[in-house]
Amino acid sequence: MRFNRILLSATLIVVALVVQVTVLGRLQLPGAVPDLLLLTVVALALVYGHVSGALIGFAAGLLADLAPPADHAAGRYALVLCVIGYVAGLVRPDNGRFRSAWGPLLTVVAAAIGSTLLYASVGALVGDTAARHVGLTGLLFTATLYDLLLAPFTVPFVMALARRAENDPMAVEAGGGPPQGKDVSSGWLAGGTGLRIGSQRGGLRLKTARSRANKAVRIKGVKAVKGVKSVKKL
């Protein structure tokens, strides 16, 4: 992993963990707690790939296992986030650009469900039956709901920072224009995440083609005028 990638990932993980413990963990919401650390790992894995995603997930989970007020065995959440980071990195397209917001959105849903199930399964292996008392179905529903509500405000921002730290030209290309919508999907499109809607992409291509055609016509017109002048001189 590059130094700027390690530095950015460590900073984002620490900030996410502090917000998770000091703010989100004290909201006393019914069921699960919004998992900002999970969303950060997923967003970084979608940019960096599965290997870096697994390493970042393991480090983030281990830090969460050791940070107070953790009440579970050390390494439990590290295993969960390591698997989630690896799988989320596999979803990343080869060119790094998602065709729509559905890719990251479905990845967040799968990560919320998968992390809850995997955490409960590991807990059952080590004798932790807290999930049974709370209700696994309620945990799955609330975890998915909270992470979905939080994702549009965190995942695009983290992905944008990751792309800019990598000096990714897609970050400049995608982040150069103003936001293109006020609905929920606009949160996924802002900040250089590499997400695009097909119609918007087609419109940009059409404008580019028209501008090139106009330039070609002007160049041909100038050449034609010069040719006429040269013939007259002869």
Side-chain angles (χ1 to χ4, degrees), residues 68-204:
D71 56 352
H72 54 268
R76 180 176 172 184
Y77 202 47
L79 174 62
V80 173
L81 287 187
C82 180
V83 175
I84 295 299
Y86 182 84
V87 176
L90 294 177
V91 180
R92 178 182 180 270
D94 294 334
N95 59 358
R97 184 186 296 274
F98 291 92
R99 295 183 178 180
S100 69
W102 286 106
L105 188 64
L106 293 177
T107 304
V108 170
V109 174
I113 297 175
S115 62
T116 304
L117 291 176
L118 187 58
Y119 187 82
S121 301
V122 176
L125 292 177
V126 297
D128 185 0
T129 59
R132 298 179 182 177
H133 300 292
V134 177
L136 186 58
T137 303
L139 285 177
L140 288 173
F141 176 77
T142 54
T144 305
L145 178 62
Y146 296 154
D147 290 347
L148 274 178
L149 293 177
L150 187 61
F153 305 100
T154 56
V155 175
F157 177 71
V158 173
M159 292 178 68
L161 290 179
R163 289 192 186 282
R164 293 184 185 279
E166 290 285 292
N167 295 323
D168 193 338
M170 285 193 304
V172 179
E173 176 186 351
Q180 303 188 18
K182 296 182 179 180
D183 57 350
V184 177
S185 63
S186 64
W188 297 96
L189 300 173
T193 60
L195 306 182
R196 282 294 181 270
I197 296 177
S199 59
Q200 294 174 347
R201 184 187 298 176
L204 291 175

Side-chain angles (χ1 to χ4, degrees), residues 226-234:
K226 289 182 179 180
V228 171
K229 289 182 179 181
S230 61
V231 171
K232 288 182 178 180
K233 289 181 180 180
L234 293 176

